[in-house]
Amino acid sequence: MDLVGPEVFQCSYQDVYGGGHSTIQLHSLWASLMFALAAHVAFPAHPRLLSGGWLPPDFEARCAAVGADCPPVR
């Protein structure tokens, strides 16, 4: 699983019936959240999850703009 573009969540898996490889992409405003939840549950050592790379580039600035404390995610 990964975020392959803005608002694009992608999963790849092996087909249990035919043994083939399949990939799906979901385009959604919730792609980052879907990635974070899935990676936290299934792949807690995912490099993008650990580095904070799944967050939008201006995440820290948005937190500061609304007066929220930004957690240490990068």
Side-chain angles (χ1 to χ4, degrees), residues 50 55 59-60 69-74:
L50 296 178
L55 294 166
F59 177 75
E60 292 86 350
D69 290 330
C70 182
V73 292
R74 297 184 211 256

Side-chain angles (χ1 to χ4, degrees), residues 3 14 17 40 51 55 62-64:
L3 290 171
Q14 293 291 327
Y17 300 109
H40 179 73
S51 72
L55 294 166
R62 286 183 181 186
C63 286

Side-chain angles (χ1 to χ4, degrees), residues 6-31:
E7 302 173 357
V8 182
F9 175 70
Q10 178 174 299
C11 290
S12 298
Y13 58 93
Q14 293 291 327
D15 181 2
V16 295
Y17 300 109
H21 184 264
S22 297
T23 300
I24 61 167
Q25 285 188 348
L26 298 171
H27 297 255
S28 170
L29 295 174
W30 298 97

